[in-house]
């Protein structure tokens, strides 16, 4: 049975006091969310230090330019913990992969493979696939723009465990460039540079006929379908017998009168 979740993406940049939040993808099927959402972060960058500068009254603060994306449940009552997240240091970040199945955890610098359990057996057939291209890193402040797939993960115990993938485009520009190429948050106006279309999402609403067909499909695929079929037959026989018994007195009376 397909699992449905209400999902949103939360974005945060080093030094910001609050996170930005996307719209909610309601009833996302099996955790596959589509957003088409723009996050905008304003910051001062100390190029020589390769740090984000936060001006202070007495002393400036310097932080690593890290952007964090978290996939959260749209209902805080379900879970306040992210389903998965990714941290990217924009001055030294792994280049995104061109395919989602190539977004492996090995591209994450802080990733350490957990030790295999005693019951895990090495199977060479599991590794017969065309692997991702060579893992490379870039400085986004020099590259200016990048597009690709990155892994989502969360910490379990002492290790990072992959929970999904995310595709995104990242771009940095100076103040003059941003003024020449205005863009709104999310899909707000001015929706340009680039234009972000409405996402195309899988509809999960079922009409009455589809619901009945889904029930029949469930019964047919069930390992207990023989029991279901027998129960249905017995119900039909029971309805017929009940109808006969209900009409029997009136038939006997009619016969006696005649």
């Amino acid at each position: 049975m397909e699992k449905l979740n209400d999902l949103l993406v939360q974005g945060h940049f080093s030094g910001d006091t609050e996170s930005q939040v996307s719209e909610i993808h309601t009833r996302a099927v099996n955790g596959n969310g589509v957003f088409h959402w723009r996050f905008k972060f304003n910051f001062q960058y100390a190029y020589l230090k390769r740090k984000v500068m936060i001006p202070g009254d007495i002393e400036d603060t310097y932080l690593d330019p890290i952007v964090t994306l978290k996939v959260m449940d749209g209902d805080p009552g379900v879970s306040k913990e992210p389903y998965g997240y990714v941290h990217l240091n924009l001055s030294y970040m792994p280049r995104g992969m061109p395919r989602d199945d190539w977004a492996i955890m090995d591209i994450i610098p802080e990733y350490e493979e957990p030790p295999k359990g005693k019951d895990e057996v090495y199977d060479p057939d599991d590794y017969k696939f065309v692997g991702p291209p060579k893992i490379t890193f870039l400085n986004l402040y020099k590259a200016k723009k990048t597009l690709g797939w990155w892994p989502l993960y969360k910490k379990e115990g002492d290790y990072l465990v992959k929970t999904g993938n995310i595709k995104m485009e990242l771009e940095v520009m100076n103040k003059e460039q941003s003024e020449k190429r205005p863009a709104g948050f999310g899909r707000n106006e001015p929706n340009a540079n680039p234009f972000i279309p409405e996402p195309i999402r899988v509809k999960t609403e079922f009409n009455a006929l589809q619901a009945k067909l889904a029930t029949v499909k469930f019964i047919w695929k069930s390992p207990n379908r023989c029991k279901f079929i027998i129960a249905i037959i017995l119900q039909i026989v029971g309805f017929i017998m009940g109808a006969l018994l209900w009409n029997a007195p009136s038939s006997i009376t009619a016969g006696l009168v005649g």
Side-chain angles (χ1 to χ4, degrees):
M1 185 176 293
E2 295 175 336
K3 185 178 180 181
L4 304 177
N5 298 87
D6 295 341
L7 301 177
L8 61 82
V9 178
Q10 186 182 90
H12 182 267
F13 193 78
S14 297
D16 288 353
T17 55
E18 296 183 358
S19 298
Q20 299 178 30
V21 179
S22 73
E23 66 180 0
I24 297 176
H25 181 167
T26 58
R27 299 174 65 82
V29 180
N30 293 331
N32 295 315
V34 184
F35 296 94
H36 293 188
W37 197 262
R38 183 178 6 242
F39 292 113
K40 294 176 60 178
F41 304 103
N42 299 316
F43 56 89
Q44 297 184 42
Y45 184 66
Y47 195 84
L48 294 179
K49 293 179 178 290
R50 299 174 71 176
K51 301 279 187 180
V52 174
M53 184 183 72
I54 302 175
D57 296 333
I58 301 175
E59 186 178 3
D60 296 335
T61 302
Y62 295 90
L63 303 172
D64 289 327
I66 295 176
V67 62
T68 301
L69 281 303
K70 298 180 180 179
V71 177
M72 312 285 294
D73 199 288
D75 182 359
V78 175
S79 176
K80 294 184 179 180
E81 294 297 321
Y83 291 118
Y85 60 88
V86 61
H87 298 304
L88 295 174
N89 186 330
L90 302 187
S91 63
Y92 186 74
M93 59 175 286
R95 193 181 299 273
M97 292 297 172
R99 288 172 31 178
D100 60 341
D101 57 331
W102 287 354
I104 57 177
M105 286 297 295
D106 293 318
I107 73 174
I108 303 300
E110 61 268 30
Y111 173 68
E112 179 182 353
E113 186 176 2
K116 292 186 178 297
K118 294 181 180 180
D119 297 332
E120 294 187 56
V121 180
Y122 171 77
D123 186 354
D125 292 335
D126 294 341
Y127 297 89
K128 291 181 179 180
F129 65 93
V130 179
K134 183 180 179 181
I135 299 171
T136 58
F137 291 79
L138 60 87
N139 182 344
L140 191 61
Y141 297 98
K142 292 183 178 180
K144 301 302 181 184
K145 183 187 293 187
T146 187
L147 170 69
W149 289 89
W150 285 266
L152 292 169
Y153 46 86
K154 63 180 181 180
K155 196 165 186 179
E156 293 186 1
D158 297 328
Y159 298 95
L160 298 177
V161 178
K162 184 179 179 182
T163 58
N165 304 310
I166 186 169
K167 184 181 182 181
M168 54 186 171
E169 181 180 35
L170 296 96
E171 182 178 10
V172 295
M173 58 183 71
N174 58 36
K175 183 178 180 180
E176 182 180 354
Q177 291 171 330
S178 65
E179 291 174 349
K180 290 181 179 179
R181 301 175 56 204
F185 286 90
R187 292 189 299 275
N188 295 335
E189 295 298 333
N191 186 359
N193 304 309
F195 171 78
I196 299 180
E198 290 279 344
I200 300 175
R201 293 169 175 162
V202 177
K203 293 183 178 180
T204 56
E205 292 79 8
F206 296 95
N207 57 34
L209 178 59
Q210 287 176 319
K212 291 176 181 178
L213 291 175
T215 303
V216 172
K217 184 178 178 181
F218 169 76
I219 292 174
W220 183 253
K221 289 188 174 182
S222 173
N224 298 317
R225 63 175 177 268
C226 291
K227 295 180 180 179
F228 280 118
I229 294 173
I230 293 172
I232 292 172
I233 293 174
L234 290 176
Q235 283 186 346
I236 294 173
V237 172
F239 285 135
I240 294 174
M241 293 298 294
L244 291 174
L245 293 173
W246 179 263
N247 293 321
S250 59
S251 299
I252 295 171
T253 304
L256 291 174
V257 173

